[in-house]
Structure formats: C-alpha cells, structure tokens
Short mmCIF file of all heavy atoms in Angstrom, two decimals:
data_model
loop_
_atom_site.label_atom_id
_atom_site.label_comp_id
_atom_site.label_asym_id
_atom_site.label_seq_id
_atom_site.Cartn_x
_atom_site.Cartn_y
_atom_site.Cartn_z
N MET A 55 -5.51 171.25 1.97
CA MET A 55 -4.21 170.69 2.25
C MET A 55 -3.62 170.09 0.97
O MET A 55 -4.33 169.46 0.20
CB MET A 55 -4.33 169.57 3.27
CG MET A 55 -4.64 169.99 4.63
SD MET A 55 -4.55 168.51 5.68
CE MET A 55 -4.50 169.27 7.25
N SER A 56 -2.34 170.27 0.81
CA SER A 56 -1.70 169.69 -0.37
C SER A 56 -1.00 168.39 0.01
O SER A 56 -0.38 168.28 1.06
CB SER A 56 -0.69 170.67 -0.96
OG SER A 56 0.34 170.92 -0.05
N GLN A 57 -1.14 167.43 -0.86
CA GLN A 57 -0.51 166.14 -0.63
C GLN A 57 0.93 166.17 -1.12
O GLN A 57 1.25 166.86 -2.08
CB GLN A 57 -1.27 165.03 -1.35
CG GLN A 57 -2.66 164.80 -0.80
CD GLN A 57 -3.35 163.68 -1.55
OE1 GLN A 57 -3.21 163.54 -2.75
NE2 GLN A 57 -4.11 162.89 -0.82
N ARG A 58 1.78 165.41 -0.45
CA ARG A 58 3.19 165.27 -0.82
C ARG A 58 3.54 163.79 -0.74
O ARG A 58 3.03 163.07 0.12
CB ARG A 58 4.10 166.03 0.15
CG ARG A 58 3.71 167.45 0.46
CD ARG A 58 4.04 168.45 -0.56
NE ARG A 58 5.47 168.60 -0.73
CZ ARG A 58 6.00 169.23 -1.77
NH1 ARG A 58 5.23 169.73 -2.69
NH2 ARG A 58 7.30 169.34 -1.90
N THR A 59 4.41 163.35 -1.61
CA THR A 59 4.91 161.99 -1.56
C THR A 59 6.33 162.04 -0.99
O THR A 59 7.21 162.67 -1.57
CB THR A 59 4.92 161.36 -2.96
OG1 THR A 59 3.59 161.36 -3.48
CG2 THR A 59 5.43 159.93 -2.91
N HIS A 60 6.52 161.40 0.18
CA HIS A 60 7.83 161.34 0.82
C HIS A 60 8.52 160.05 0.38
O HIS A 60 7.91 159.00 0.33
CB HIS A 60 7.68 161.32 2.34
CG HIS A 60 7.37 162.66 2.92
ND1 HIS A 60 8.26 163.34 3.69
CD2 HIS A 60 6.28 163.44 2.81
CE1 HIS A 60 7.72 164.50 4.04
NE2 HIS A 60 6.52 164.57 3.52
N ILE A 61 9.81 160.17 0.09
CA ILE A 61 10.64 159.03 -0.30
C ILE A 61 11.84 159.06 0.63
O ILE A 61 12.58 160.05 0.66
CB ILE A 61 11.11 159.15 -1.76
CG1 ILE A 61 9.94 159.50 -2.68
CG2 ILE A 61 11.80 157.86 -2.21
CD1 ILE A 61 10.34 160.20 -3.94
N LYS A 62 12.04 158.00 1.41
CA LYS A 62 13.14 158.03 2.38
C LYS A 62 13.73 156.64 2.56
O LYS A 62 13.11 155.63 2.23
CB LYS A 62 12.67 158.59 3.71
CG LYS A 62 11.52 157.82 4.34
CD LYS A 62 10.98 158.53 5.54
CE LYS A 62 9.74 157.81 6.05
NZ LYS A 62 9.13 158.50 7.16
N THR A 63 14.94 156.63 3.12
CA THR A 63 15.62 155.38 3.43
C THR A 63 16.58 155.62 4.58
O THR A 63 16.97 156.76 4.85
CB THR A 63 16.39 154.84 2.20
OG1 THR A 63 16.89 153.54 2.50
CG2 THR A 63 17.53 155.75 1.80
N THR A 64 16.95 154.56 5.25
CA THR A 64 18.00 154.60 6.26
C THR A 64 19.09 153.65 5.79
O THR A 64 18.81 152.49 5.50
CB THR A 64 17.46 154.18 7.64
OG1 THR A 64 16.42 155.10 8.01
CG2 THR A 64 18.55 154.21 8.69
N VAL A 65 20.30 154.17 5.68
CA VAL A 65 21.40 153.39 5.12
C VAL A 65 22.62 153.46 6.02
O VAL A 65 22.77 154.40 6.81
CB VAL A 65 21.78 153.90 3.71
CG1 VAL A 65 20.67 153.66 2.72
CG2 VAL A 65 22.16 155.36 3.72
N PRO A 66 23.53 152.48 5.88
CA PRO A 66 24.82 152.60 6.56
C PRO A 66 25.54 153.84 6.03
O PRO A 66 25.36 154.21 4.86
CB PRO A 66 25.57 151.32 6.15
CG PRO A 66 24.53 150.38 5.66
CD PRO A 66 23.42 151.23 5.12
N ASN A 67 26.34 154.46 6.84
CA ASN A 67 27.00 155.71 6.45
C ASN A 67 27.79 155.57 5.14
O ASN A 67 27.89 156.53 4.38
CB ASN A 67 27.89 156.22 7.57
CG ASN A 67 27.06 156.75 8.72
OD1 ASN A 67 25.90 157.13 8.56
ND2 ASN A 67 27.64 156.76 9.91
N GLY A 68 28.30 154.40 4.83
CA GLY A 68 29.05 154.19 3.61
C GLY A 68 28.19 154.18 2.35
O GLY A 68 28.71 154.20 1.24
N ARG A 69 26.87 154.16 2.50
CA ARG A 69 25.96 154.09 1.35
C ARG A 69 25.17 155.38 1.14
O ARG A 69 24.28 155.45 0.29
CB ARG A 69 24.95 152.94 1.54
CG ARG A 69 25.53 151.56 1.69
CD ARG A 69 26.18 151.01 0.43
NE ARG A 69 25.38 151.07 -0.77
CZ ARG A 69 24.50 150.15 -1.17
NH1 ARG A 69 24.31 149.08 -0.45
NH2 ARG A 69 23.83 150.30 -2.29
N VAL A 70 25.48 156.43 1.89
CA VAL A 70 24.74 157.69 1.80
C VAL A 70 24.78 158.26 0.39
O VAL A 70 23.75 158.66 -0.16
CB VAL A 70 25.25 158.71 2.83
CG1 VAL A 70 24.63 160.08 2.60
CG2 VAL A 70 24.95 158.23 4.24
N GLU A 71 25.95 158.29 -0.22
CA GLU A 71 26.06 158.86 -1.56
C GLU A 71 25.27 158.05 -2.58
O GLU A 71 24.70 158.61 -3.52
CB GLU A 71 27.52 159.02 -1.97
CG GLU A 71 28.24 160.10 -1.18
CD GLU A 71 27.52 161.45 -1.20
OE1 GLU A 71 27.09 161.90 -2.28
OE2 GLU A 71 27.37 162.06 -0.12
N ASP A 72 25.22 156.73 -2.41
CA ASP A 72 24.41 155.88 -3.30
C ASP A 72 22.93 156.26 -3.18
O ASP A 72 22.24 156.41 -4.19
CB ASP A 72 24.58 154.40 -2.97
CG ASP A 72 25.99 153.89 -3.22
OD1 ASP A 72 26.72 154.50 -4.03
OD2 ASP A 72 26.35 152.88 -2.60
N ALA A 73 22.45 156.39 -1.96
CA ALA A 73 21.04 156.74 -1.74
C ALA A 73 20.74 158.13 -2.29
O ALA A 73 19.71 158.34 -2.93
CB ALA A 73 20.71 156.67 -0.25
N ARG A 74 21.64 159.07 -2.06
CA ARG A 74 21.46 160.43 -2.58
C ARG A 74 21.41 160.43 -4.10
O ARG A 74 20.60 161.13 -4.70
CB ARG A 74 22.56 161.36 -2.07
CG ARG A 74 22.47 161.67 -0.57
CD ARG A 74 23.62 162.54 -0.09
NE ARG A 74 23.68 163.80 -0.80
CZ ARG A 74 22.97 164.88 -0.50
NH1 ARG A 74 22.14 164.84 0.53
NH2 ARG A 74 23.10 165.99 -1.19
N ALA A 75 22.27 159.64 -4.74
CA ALA A 75 22.30 159.58 -6.21
C ALA A 75 21.01 159.00 -6.77
O ALA A 75 20.48 159.49 -7.78
CB ALA A 75 23.50 158.76 -6.67
N ILE A 76 20.47 157.98 -6.12
CA ILE A 76 19.20 157.39 -6.58
C ILE A 76 18.08 158.41 -6.45
O ILE A 76 17.29 158.59 -7.38
CB ILE A 76 18.89 156.10 -5.79
CG1 ILE A 76 19.87 155.00 -6.18
CG2 ILE A 76 17.44 155.65 -6.04
CD1 ILE A 76 19.82 153.78 -5.28
N LEU A 77 18.01 159.10 -5.33
CA LEU A 77 16.96 160.11 -5.15
C LEU A 77 17.13 161.25 -6.15
O LEU A 77 16.14 161.76 -6.69
CB LEU A 77 16.96 160.64 -3.72
CG LEU A 77 16.44 159.66 -2.68
CD1 LEU A 77 16.62 160.22 -1.28
CD2 LEU A 77 14.98 159.32 -2.92
N HIS A 78 18.36 161.64 -6.43
CA HIS A 78 18.60 162.71 -7.40
C HIS A 78 18.15 162.28 -8.79
O HIS A 78 17.49 163.05 -9.50
CB HIS A 78 20.08 163.10 -7.41
CG HIS A 78 20.36 164.25 -8.30
ND1 HIS A 78 20.68 164.10 -9.63
CD2 HIS A 78 20.34 165.59 -8.06
CE1 HIS A 78 20.86 165.28 -10.17
NE2 HIS A 78 20.66 166.21 -9.24
N SER A 79 18.45 161.05 -9.18
CA SER A 79 18.03 160.59 -10.51
C SER A 79 16.52 160.44 -10.58
O SER A 79 15.93 160.63 -11.65
CB SER A 79 18.74 159.29 -10.89
OG SER A 79 18.28 158.22 -10.12
N LEU A 80 15.91 160.14 -9.47
CA LEU A 80 14.45 159.96 -9.42
C LEU A 80 13.71 161.29 -9.51
O LEU A 80 12.72 161.41 -10.22
CB LEU A 80 14.07 159.24 -8.13
CG LEU A 80 12.63 158.89 -7.91
CD1 LEU A 80 12.16 157.85 -8.92
CD2 LEU A 80 12.43 158.34 -6.50
N THR A 81 14.21 162.31 -8.82
CA THR A 81 13.49 163.58 -8.73
C THR A 81 14.10 164.71 -9.56
O THR A 81 13.46 165.74 -9.75
CB THR A 81 13.43 164.07 -7.27
OG1 THR A 81 14.76 164.34 -6.81
CG2 THR A 81 12.76 163.05 -6.37
N GLY A 82 15.36 164.55 -9.96
CA GLY A 82 16.03 165.61 -10.71
C GLY A 82 16.60 166.72 -9.84
O GLY A 82 17.04 167.74 -10.34
N ARG A 83 16.60 166.50 -8.53
CA ARG A 83 17.19 167.51 -7.63
C ARG A 83 17.80 166.80 -6.42
O ARG A 83 17.57 165.61 -6.20
CB ARG A 83 16.13 168.51 -7.18
CG ARG A 83 14.97 167.91 -6.45
CD ARG A 83 13.98 169.00 -6.04
NE ARG A 83 13.00 168.46 -5.16
CZ ARG A 83 11.74 168.26 -5.46
NH1 ARG A 83 11.29 168.57 -6.65
NH2 ARG A 83 10.90 167.76 -4.58
N GLU A 84 18.57 167.55 -5.67
CA GLU A 84 19.21 166.99 -4.49
C GLU A 84 18.17 166.57 -3.46
O GLU A 84 17.11 167.20 -3.35
CB GLU A 84 20.17 168.01 -3.86
CG GLU A 84 21.38 168.30 -4.72
CD GLU A 84 22.23 167.08 -4.95
OE1 GLU A 84 22.53 166.35 -3.99
OE2 GLU A 84 22.61 166.85 -6.12
N PRO A 85 18.45 165.51 -2.68
CA PRO A 85 17.53 165.11 -1.62
C PRO A 85 17.26 166.25 -0.66
O PRO A 85 18.11 167.10 -0.43
CB PRO A 85 18.26 163.96 -0.92
CG PRO A 85 19.16 163.41 -1.98
CD PRO A 85 19.59 164.61 -2.79
N GLY A 86 16.06 166.25 -0.09
CA GLY A 86 15.66 167.31 0.81
C GLY A 86 16.30 167.25 2.18
O GLY A 86 16.44 168.26 2.85
N TRP A 87 16.72 166.05 2.59
CA TRP A 87 17.36 165.95 3.90
C TRP A 87 18.30 164.76 3.96
O TRP A 87 18.12 163.76 3.28
CB TRP A 87 16.34 165.87 5.03
CG TRP A 87 15.52 164.62 5.05
CD1 TRP A 87 15.85 163.42 5.65
CD2 TRP A 87 14.24 164.41 4.47
NE1 TRP A 87 14.85 162.51 5.45
CE2 TRP A 87 13.84 163.09 4.73
CE3 TRP A 87 13.37 165.23 3.74
CZ2 TRP A 87 12.63 162.56 4.30
CZ3 TRP A 87 12.17 164.69 3.32
CH2 TRP A 87 11.81 163.39 3.60
N THR A 88 19.32 164.92 4.79
CA THR A 88 20.26 163.87 5.15
C THR A 88 20.54 164.07 6.63
O THR A 88 21.09 165.10 7.01
CB THR A 88 21.57 163.98 4.33
OG1 THR A 88 21.26 163.93 2.95
CG2 THR A 88 22.54 162.86 4.68
N HIS A 89 20.12 163.11 7.46
CA HIS A 89 20.29 163.22 8.90
C HIS A 89 21.04 162.01 9.43
O HIS A 89 20.58 160.88 9.25
CB HIS A 89 18.93 163.30 9.63
CG HIS A 89 18.10 164.46 9.22
ND1 HIS A 89 18.43 165.75 9.53
CD2 HIS A 89 16.95 164.53 8.52
CE1 HIS A 89 17.51 166.57 9.04
NE2 HIS A 89 16.61 165.84 8.42
N ARG A 90 22.16 162.26 10.07
CA ARG A 90 22.89 161.16 10.71
C ARG A 90 22.10 160.71 11.93
O ARG A 90 21.77 161.52 12.80
CB ARG A 90 24.28 161.60 11.11
CG ARG A 90 25.05 160.47 11.80
CD ARG A 90 26.48 160.77 11.89
NE ARG A 90 27.03 160.35 10.60
CZ ARG A 90 28.32 160.26 10.37
NH1 ARG A 90 29.19 160.59 11.28
NH2 ARG A 90 28.75 159.85 9.20
N ILE A 91 21.79 159.43 11.99
CA ILE A 91 21.02 158.88 13.11
C ILE A 91 21.96 158.51 14.25
O ILE A 91 21.72 158.83 15.40
CB ILE A 91 20.20 157.67 12.65
CG1 ILE A 91 19.17 158.12 11.62
CG2 ILE A 91 19.54 156.97 13.84
CD1 ILE A 91 18.43 157.00 10.94
N ASP A 92 23.03 157.81 13.92
CA ASP A 92 24.03 157.43 14.91
C ASP A 92 25.36 157.22 14.19
O ASP A 92 25.50 157.63 13.04
CB ASP A 92 23.59 156.18 15.70
CG ASP A 92 23.30 154.98 14.82
OD1 ASP A 92 23.95 154.83 13.75
OD2 ASP A 92 22.43 154.17 15.18
N ALA A 93 26.32 156.58 14.85
CA ALA A 93 27.65 156.43 14.27
C ALA A 93 27.65 155.55 13.01
O ALA A 93 28.57 155.65 12.21
CB ALA A 93 28.60 155.85 15.31
N GLN A 94 26.63 154.72 12.83
CA GLN A 94 26.62 153.79 11.71
C GLN A 94 25.59 154.09 10.63
O GLN A 94 25.72 153.60 9.51
CB GLN A 94 26.37 152.34 12.19
CG GLN A 94 27.51 151.72 12.94
CD GLN A 94 27.49 152.09 14.42
OE1 GLN A 94 26.43 152.31 14.98
NE2 GLN A 94 28.66 152.18 15.03
N THR A 95 24.53 154.85 10.93
CA THR A 95 23.43 154.99 9.98
C THR A 95 23.01 156.44 9.76
O THR A 95 23.15 157.28 10.63
CB THR A 95 22.19 154.19 10.43
OG1 THR A 95 21.82 154.60 11.74
CG2 THR A 95 22.45 152.70 10.42
N THR A 96 22.47 156.68 8.57
CA THR A 96 21.99 158.00 8.17
C THR A 96 20.66 157.84 7.45
O THR A 96 20.47 156.90 6.69
CB THR A 96 23.02 158.68 7.23
OG1 THR A 96 24.24 158.86 7.96
CG2 THR A 96 22.52 160.02 6.74
N SER A 97 19.75 158.78 7.68
CA SER A 97 18.47 158.83 6.99
C SER A 97 18.59 159.83 5.85
O SER A 97 19.11 160.94 6.04
CB SER A 97 17.37 159.28 7.96
OG SER A 97 16.17 159.48 7.27
N VAL A 98 18.14 159.42 4.66
CA VAL A 98 18.19 160.27 3.49
C VAL A 98 16.80 160.29 2.88
O VAL A 98 16.15 159.24 2.77
CB VAL A 98 19.19 159.73 2.44
CG1 VAL A 98 19.25 160.64 1.23
CG2 VAL A 98 20.57 159.55 3.05
N GLY A 99 16.32 161.46 2.48
CA GLY A 99 14.99 161.49 1.89
C GLY A 99 14.68 162.78 1.17
O GLY A 99 15.46 163.73 1.18
N THR A 100 13.53 162.77 0.55
CA THR A 100 13.05 163.94 -0.16
C THR A 100 11.53 163.83 -0.29
O THR A 100 10.94 162.85 0.15
CB THR A 100 13.72 164.06 -1.55
OG1 THR A 100 13.50 165.37 -2.05
CG2 THR A 100 13.21 163.01 -2.52
N GLU A 101 10.92 164.82 -0.89
CA GLU A 101 9.49 164.77 -1.14
C GLU A 101 9.21 165.39 -2.50
O GLU A 101 9.98 166.20 -3.00
CB GLU A 101 8.69 165.46 -0.05
CG GLU A 101 8.94 166.93 0.08
CD GLU A 101 8.13 167.56 1.20
OE1 GLU A 101 7.69 166.86 2.11
OE2 GLU A 101 7.95 168.78 1.14
N VAL A 102 8.12 164.95 -3.09
CA VAL A 102 7.66 165.48 -4.37
C VAL A 102 6.20 165.86 -4.20
O VAL A 102 5.48 165.28 -3.38
CB VAL A 102 7.85 164.48 -5.52
CG1 VAL A 102 9.33 164.26 -5.80
CG2 VAL A 102 7.17 163.15 -5.23
N PRO A 103 5.73 166.84 -4.94
CA PRO A 103 4.35 167.28 -4.79
C PRO A 103 3.36 166.25 -5.30
O PRO A 103 3.63 165.51 -6.24
CB PRO A 103 4.28 168.56 -5.60
CG PRO A 103 5.41 168.49 -6.56
CD PRO A 103 6.46 167.64 -5.92
N GLY A 104 2.20 166.24 -4.65
CA GLY A 104 1.09 165.40 -5.11
C GLY A 104 1.21 163.93 -4.73
O GLY A 104 2.15 163.52 -4.07
N ASP A 105 0.23 163.17 -5.17
CA ASP A 105 0.19 161.73 -4.92
C ASP A 105 0.90 161.03 -6.07
O ASP A 105 0.30 160.70 -7.09
CB ASP A 105 -1.26 161.25 -4.80
CG ASP A 105 -1.34 159.76 -4.51
OD1 ASP A 105 -0.29 159.08 -4.46
OD2 ASP A 105 -2.47 159.26 -4.34
N GLN A 106 2.19 160.83 -5.89
CA GLN A 106 3.00 160.15 -6.90
C GLN A 106 3.55 158.83 -6.37
O GLN A 106 4.47 158.26 -6.94
CB GLN A 106 4.15 161.05 -7.34
CG GLN A 106 3.69 162.34 -7.98
CD GLN A 106 4.84 163.16 -8.51
OE1 GLN A 106 5.75 162.62 -9.13
NE2 GLN A 106 4.80 164.45 -8.25
N ALA A 107 2.95 158.34 -5.28
CA ALA A 107 3.46 157.14 -4.62
C ALA A 107 3.53 155.94 -5.57
O ALA A 107 4.56 155.25 -5.63
CB ALA A 107 2.62 156.80 -3.40
N ALA A 108 2.49 155.68 -6.31
CA ALA A 108 2.48 154.51 -7.21
C ALA A 108 3.55 154.66 -8.29
O ALA A 108 4.27 153.70 -8.60
CB ALA A 108 1.11 154.33 -7.83
N ASP A 109 3.68 155.85 -8.86
CA ASP A 109 4.70 156.08 -9.89
C ASP A 109 6.10 155.91 -9.33
O ASP A 109 6.96 155.29 -9.95
CB ASP A 109 4.56 157.48 -10.49
CG ASP A 109 3.27 157.66 -11.27
OD1 ASP A 109 2.71 156.64 -11.74
OD2 ASP A 109 2.82 158.81 -11.41
N VAL A 110 6.34 156.46 -8.15
CA VAL A 110 7.66 156.38 -7.53
C VAL A 110 7.99 154.92 -7.21
O VAL A 110 9.10 154.45 -7.48
CB VAL A 110 7.73 157.24 -6.25
CG1 VAL A 110 8.98 156.95 -5.44
CG2 VAL A 110 7.66 158.72 -6.61
N GLU A 111 7.05 154.18 -6.66
CA GLU A 111 7.29 152.78 -6.33
C GLU A 111 7.60 151.97 -7.58
O GLU A 111 8.47 151.10 -7.58
CB GLU A 111 6.11 152.19 -5.57
CG GLU A 111 6.02 152.71 -4.15
CD GLU A 111 4.78 152.26 -3.41
OE1 GLU A 111 3.85 151.71 -4.04
OE2 GLU A 111 4.74 152.47 -2.20
N GLU A 112 6.91 152.27 -8.68
CA GLU A 112 7.16 151.56 -9.94
C GLU A 112 8.57 151.86 -10.46
O GLU A 112 9.28 150.95 -10.89
CB GLU A 112 6.13 151.98 -10.99
CG GLU A 112 6.27 151.24 -12.29
CD GLU A 112 5.21 151.63 -13.30
OE1 GLU A 112 4.10 152.03 -12.89
OE2 GLU A 112 5.49 151.53 -14.51
N ILE A 113 8.99 153.10 -10.40
CA ILE A 113 10.34 153.47 -10.85
C ILE A 113 11.39 152.82 -9.96
O ILE A 113 12.38 152.25 -10.45
CB ILE A 113 10.51 155.00 -10.86
CG1 ILE A 113 9.61 155.61 -11.94
CG2 ILE A 113 11.97 155.39 -11.09
CD1 ILE A 113 9.47 157.11 -11.84
N LEU A 114 11.19 152.88 -8.64
CA LEU A 114 12.15 152.27 -7.72
C LEU A 114 12.26 150.77 -7.94
O LEU A 114 13.35 150.20 -7.80
CB LEU A 114 11.76 152.57 -6.26
CG LEU A 114 12.00 153.99 -5.79
CD1 LEU A 114 11.39 154.21 -4.42
CD2 LEU A 114 13.49 154.32 -5.77
N ALA A 115 11.17 150.12 -8.30
CA ALA A 115 11.20 148.67 -8.54
C ALA A 115 12.10 148.32 -9.72
O ALA A 115 12.67 147.23 -9.77
CB ALA A 115 9.79 148.15 -8.79
N GLY A 116 12.27 149.25 -10.64
CA GLY A 116 13.11 149.02 -11.80
C GLY A 116 14.57 149.37 -11.61
O GLY A 116 15.39 149.17 -12.50
N ILE A 117 14.93 149.90 -10.43
CA ILE A 117 16.32 150.28 -10.16
C ILE A 117 17.02 149.11 -9.48
O ILE A 117 16.52 148.55 -8.51
CB ILE A 117 16.37 151.54 -9.26
CG1 ILE A 117 15.76 152.73 -10.00
CG2 ILE A 117 17.81 151.84 -8.85
CD1 ILE A 117 15.65 153.98 -9.16
N ASP A 118 18.17 148.76 -10.00
CA ASP A 118 18.94 147.63 -9.46
C ASP A 118 19.76 148.10 -8.26
O ASP A 118 20.87 148.61 -8.41
CB ASP A 118 19.85 147.06 -10.55
CG ASP A 118 20.59 145.83 -10.08
OD1 ASP A 118 20.13 145.17 -9.13
OD2 ASP A 118 21.65 145.53 -10.66
N THR A 119 19.18 147.98 -7.08
CA THR A 119 19.86 148.36 -5.84
C THR A 119 19.32 147.53 -4.69
O THR A 119 18.19 147.04 -4.73
CB THR A 119 19.67 149.86 -5.52
OG1 THR A 119 20.43 150.18 -4.35
CG2 THR A 119 18.22 150.21 -5.30
N ASP A 120 20.13 147.37 -3.66
CA ASP A 120 19.67 146.69 -2.45
C ASP A 120 19.20 147.68 -1.39
O ASP A 120 18.79 147.29 -0.31
CB ASP A 120 20.76 145.79 -1.89
CG ASP A 120 22.01 146.55 -1.49
OD1 ASP A 120 22.17 147.71 -1.92
OD2 ASP A 120 22.83 145.98 -0.75
N ILE A 121 19.23 148.96 -1.72
CA ILE A 121 18.72 149.99 -0.80
C ILE A 121 17.20 149.98 -0.87
O ILE A 121 16.62 150.06 -1.95
CB ILE A 121 19.27 151.38 -1.15
CG1 ILE A 121 20.79 151.40 -1.01
CG2 ILE A 121 18.63 152.46 -0.27
CD1 ILE A 121 21.44 152.70 -1.47
N GLU A 122 16.56 149.87 0.28
CA GLU A 122 15.11 149.85 0.34
C GLU A 122 14.59 151.23 0.72
O GLU A 122 14.98 151.80 1.73
CB GLU A 122 14.62 148.82 1.34
CG GLU A 122 14.94 147.40 0.92
CD GLU A 122 14.34 146.37 1.85
OE1 GLU A 122 13.28 146.65 2.45
OE2 GLU A 122 14.94 145.31 1.99
N PHE A 123 13.70 151.76 -0.11
CA PHE A 123 13.11 153.06 0.13
C PHE A 123 11.68 152.90 0.63
O PHE A 123 10.97 151.99 0.22
CB PHE A 123 13.09 153.89 -1.16
CG PHE A 123 14.45 154.34 -1.61
CD1 PHE A 123 15.25 153.52 -2.39
CD2 PHE A 123 14.93 155.58 -1.22
CE1 PHE A 123 16.50 153.93 -2.79
CE2 PHE A 123 16.20 155.99 -1.62
CZ PHE A 123 16.98 155.16 -2.40
N VAL A 124 11.26 153.82 1.49
CA VAL A 124 9.89 153.88 1.98
C VAL A 124 9.23 155.04 1.23
O VAL A 124 9.77 156.15 1.21
CB VAL A 124 9.83 154.13 3.50
CG1 VAL A 124 8.40 154.33 3.96
CG2 VAL A 124 10.50 152.97 4.23
N VAL A 125 8.09 154.76 0.62
CA VAL A 125 7.34 155.78 -0.11
C VAL A 125 6.03 155.97 0.63
O VAL A 125 5.29 155.01 0.84
CB VAL A 125 7.09 155.34 -1.58
CG1 VAL A 125 6.30 156.41 -2.31
CG2 VAL A 125 8.40 155.04 -2.28
N GLN A 126 5.75 157.21 1.04
CA GLN A 126 4.60 157.48 1.88
C GLN A 126 3.91 158.77 1.44
O GLN A 126 4.57 159.79 1.24
CB GLN A 126 5.07 157.60 3.32
CG GLN A 126 4.00 157.84 4.33
CD GLN A 126 4.58 157.92 5.73
OE1 GLN A 126 5.75 158.21 5.92
NE2 GLN A 126 3.75 157.65 6.71
N LEU A 127 2.60 158.72 1.33
CA LEU A 127 1.82 159.89 1.00
C LEU A 127 1.47 160.62 2.29
O LEU A 127 1.02 160.02 3.26
CB LEU A 127 0.55 159.48 0.27
CG LEU A 127 -0.36 160.61 -0.20
CD1 LEU A 127 0.34 161.47 -1.25
CD2 LEU A 127 -1.65 160.04 -0.77
N THR A 128 1.72 161.95 2.32
CA THR A 128 1.41 162.75 3.50
C THR A 128 0.62 163.98 3.07
O THR A 128 0.55 164.33 1.90
CB THR A 128 2.68 163.22 4.23
OG1 THR A 128 3.43 164.06 3.35
CG2 THR A 128 3.53 162.04 4.66
N GLN A 129 0.03 164.63 4.05
CA GLN A 129 -0.70 165.87 3.78
C GLN A 129 -0.14 166.98 4.63
O GLN A 129 0.44 166.79 5.63
CB GLN A 129 -2.18 165.69 4.11
CG GLN A 129 -2.83 164.75 3.15
CD GLN A 129 -4.35 164.75 3.27
OE1 GLN A 129 -4.93 165.65 3.84
NE2 GLN A 129 -4.97 163.74 2.73
#
C-alpha cells in the first residue's frame, strides 16, 4: 500500500479561493477537490504522495492565515 498525505480544510464559501491558493502554493498544483457542503461552507483539499505530514504541517505553520488545515496520513 502506498501512503498519501491528505491536506484539507472547510471554509466559508467566500474563502474558497484563499484556501485553493494556499494549497496551490504548497503543492505546486491545483487542489484535488472542492466540494460544497451547504449554502455557507465548502471543503477544499488535496493529497501528496508519501508521508509528508510533518513537512506540510511545518510549512503551514509559517503561512500567515486564519484558515486551519487538517493534515492526515492515509494508506
């Protein structure tokens, strides 16, 4: 099984582009998914190969934003 690091957030609809831009700058590509949850919120996320959770969390800690991302290792 190959490990993947998932990076995701749930934001108000007005902040979707901000979350997408952060993920794009982090991974160098467009986010893997954007799903509207309801009239006010949207889930945005992507994944990168391997166990990069610690590296991703360190990079996110250095970004000046109030958007909170969840970083999770999956198989």
